[in-house]
Amino acid sequence: EEVVTEEVVAPQTALKESPKLTVNDFELLKTIGKGSFGKVFEVRMKETGKIYAMKVMNKNQIMERRQYEHTLAERRIMQDISHPFLVCLRYAFQSQTKLYLVMDFFNGGELYHYLSMGRFSEKRALFYAAEISLGIAHLHKHNIVYRDLKPENLLLDPEGHIRITDFGLSKEDVEGDTVRSLCGTPEYLAPEILKKQPYGKCVDWWSLGTLIYEMITGLPPFYDNNRKLMYHKILSAPLQKSPYMSLEAFDLCSKLLEREPTKRLGYGGYEEIQKHPWFKEIDWDALYRKEMEPPYKPSVKSAESTEHIDDEFVLVVPAVTPTPVNAVLTDQNAFENFSYAEGVSH
């Protein structure tokens, strides 16, 4: 599970309120995910018939667990960034007790789902790594550290391209190595986060190294069932070359999994990673335009089919818990300006 201890920051002024959408403008089709503060549903917008993913979060839980700043940051980041390999926000609205984020729906399945069936060919890992690195570089360009790169947060679209999702742990306005909070998922945490040192965007490149290694070999490089032991390995164990890895892939992982952040590949900018010999066959401009053929195309029956989504979610009847009559509501002003509609001026 995720480790999150984040400093609480005073509310920032967010964006203007948007046209009044409500949950009734959407038909709930299926449950497709569950987070710490709510659920994610596949929904159809009644007016247009378009399919989206809708994340529903409980305001009181967000306030109780001090996740207020994370939630608003997620919502701001998703509105401000638009990129072929990132999930985009289409609408945001709220009721008295809940927040709703309506995003693009991608039903090719999570990378986690495919990795659980077995490791990837190096060619497939290379393609995903290249698309992911373009998405992460785009966030970095906007001074956002992503902090949660892992297979569960990587979706495939029906063509087989990557979409990075879940910006709940992302941090905005990061200049240099100035972030201090401990957060992320244990297997993918960079050493400087574990050592509680101030850190910067380079933690995402460490996570990319971990992910590339895991895609090719089947397990993260320093994985251990015992978390304490795993942290110890992240801090000091030598990186083992797997027989499944080419020398170039191992060289790239070694440079991304450099414990000293200033010596890590990517510290001096994303171009350092792009130029690595492992990526020599990638035409980066064609990749950005999605002109490179994905190595695997999910068998997706239709725009709304969910065959690649875990049954543990899909079997849950989709329903938004009604507000109890006697509900004590959090400060309603706390979430003012949360709402948003794409293309509507703010």
Side-chain angles (χ1 to χ4, degrees):
E1 78 284 28
E2 289 183 344
V3 185
V4 181
T5 55
E6 180 75 90
E7 65 280 357
V8 186
V9 187
Q12 292 179 1
T13 50
L15 303 131
K16 295 274 187 294
E17 203 58 49
S18 85
K20 289 285 182 251
L21 271 174
T22 74
V23 69
N24 300 326
D25 291 307
F26 298 88
E27 179 189 345
L28 301 187
L29 302 175
K30 281 182 181 155
T31 308
I32 52 173
K34 191 173 177 327
S36 30
F37 313 113
K39 296 196 185 94
V40 184
F41 301 108
E42 178 195 15
V43 297
R44 182 187 287 113
M45 195 172 191
K46 292 174 183 172
E47 194 184 339
T48 61
K50 276 182 89 165
I51 302 290
Y52 295 102
M54 181 164 83
K55 186 170 181 175
V56 183
M57 295 171 284
N58 179 307
K59 287 181 181 178
N60 280 347
Q61 279 178 349
I62 287 169
M63 297 306 255
E64 278 161 20
R65 300 200 204 164
R66 302 183 164 188
Q67 291 300 300
Y68 176 78
E69 198 41 47
H70 277 166
T71 306
L72 285 194
E74 174 177 26
R75 138 90 183 74
R76 279 194 303 267
I77 288 165
M78 285 189 78
Q79 182 204 319
D80 291 341
I81 51 170
S82 173
H83 190 272
F85 306 127
L86 302 175
V87 170
C88 293
L89 181 69
R90 300 302 172 193
Y91 304 99
F93 55 93
Q94 57 183 306
S95 66
Q96 277 200 306
T97 53
K98 293 191 177 60
L99 299 175
Y100 299 87
L101 291 174
V102 179
M103 305 161 274
D104 297 321
F105 172 64
F106 295 106
N107 58 353
E110 290 178 2
L111 222 53
Y112 181 78
H113 164 80
Y114 294 108
L115 266 177
S116 62
M117 300 186 213
R119 56 188 191 79
F120 296 160
S121 70
E122 195 166 303
K123 198 175 165 219
R124 185 170 173 187
L126 172 75
F127 180 84
Y128 294 153
E131 290 199 335
I132 291 162
S133 58
L134 278 182
I136 294 293
H138 182 73
L139 291 172
H140 289 180
K141 199 172 89 190
H142 290 84
N143 287 332
I144 294 162
V145 186
Y146 177 57
R147 298 202 293 197
D148 207 13
L149 190 56
K150 57 179 177 178
E152 294 89 326
N153 285 342
L154 299 163
L155 307 177
L156 291 187
D157 72 10
E159 301 306 308
H161 293 285
I162 285 279
R163 288 283 183 155
I164 301 173
T165 186
D166 200 343
F167 301 96
L169 291 187
S170 301
K171 179 102 179 140
E172 305 164 288
D173 306 324
V174 176
E175 303 273 1
D177 299 335
T178 53
V179 187
R180 289 185 168 274
S181 37
L182 170 68
C183 76
T185 302
E187 292 92 310
Y188 305 91
L189 286 176
E192 58 267 36
I193 298 182
L194 287 177
K195 290 200 251 178
K196 301 195 164 61
Q197 295 171 343
Y199 60 88
K201 299 167 185 150
C202 215
V203 297
D204 288 336
W205 299 132
W206 172 280
S207 303
L208 179 68
T210 306
L211 183 73
I212 292 171
Y213 191 98
E214 179 177 7
M215 288 193 285
I216 298 173
T217 67
L219 271 181
F222 306 111
Y223 184 74
D224 197 287
N225 276 331
N226 175 325
R227 184 181 288 187
K228 217 170 174 169
L229 217 59
M230 181 162 67
Y231 286 164
H232 181 70
K233 287 181 179 176
I234 289 173
L235 292 175
S236 57
L239 187 66
Q240 302 289 335
K241 183 182 176 302
S242 152
Y244 302 123
M245 291 185 122
S246 67
L247 285 169
E248 276 140 338
F250 183 67
D251 183 70
L252 175 63
C253 286
S254 308
K255 288 174 172 159
L256 291 171
L257 296 168
E258 160 61 59
R259 295 189 168 93
E260 173 49 60
T262 56
K263 295 182 189 156
R264 190 174 304 150
L265 198 68
Y267 188 82
Y270 158 67
E271 300 69 32
E272 298 181 345
I273 296 168
Q274 258 184 329
K275 290 187 184 118
H276 190 278
W278 193 54
F279 288 119
K280 63 182 176 289
E281 280 160 31
I282 297 287
D283 173 337
W284 293 95
D285 294 330
L287 185 78
Y288 178 83
R289 295 191 300 267
K290 295 192 181 171
E291 287 162 6
M292 287 188 79
E293 186 69 29
Y296 167 83
K297 189 172 162 49
S299 49
V300 174
K301 294 192 192 75
S302 69
E304 58 186 79
S305 64
T306 54
E307 64 265 42
H308 297 294
I309 291 165
D310 198 324
D311 282 347
E312 132 188 36
F313 303 127
V314 178
L315 299 172
V316 178
V317 178
V320 175
T321 327
T323 306
V325 181
N326 58 351
V328 178
L329 300 179
T330 48
D331 170 12
Q332 281 309 317
N333 299 328
F335 294 97
E336 108 183 288
N337 307 324
F338 180 84
S339 305
Y340 165 76
E342 188 194 26
V344 176
S345 61
H346 305 302

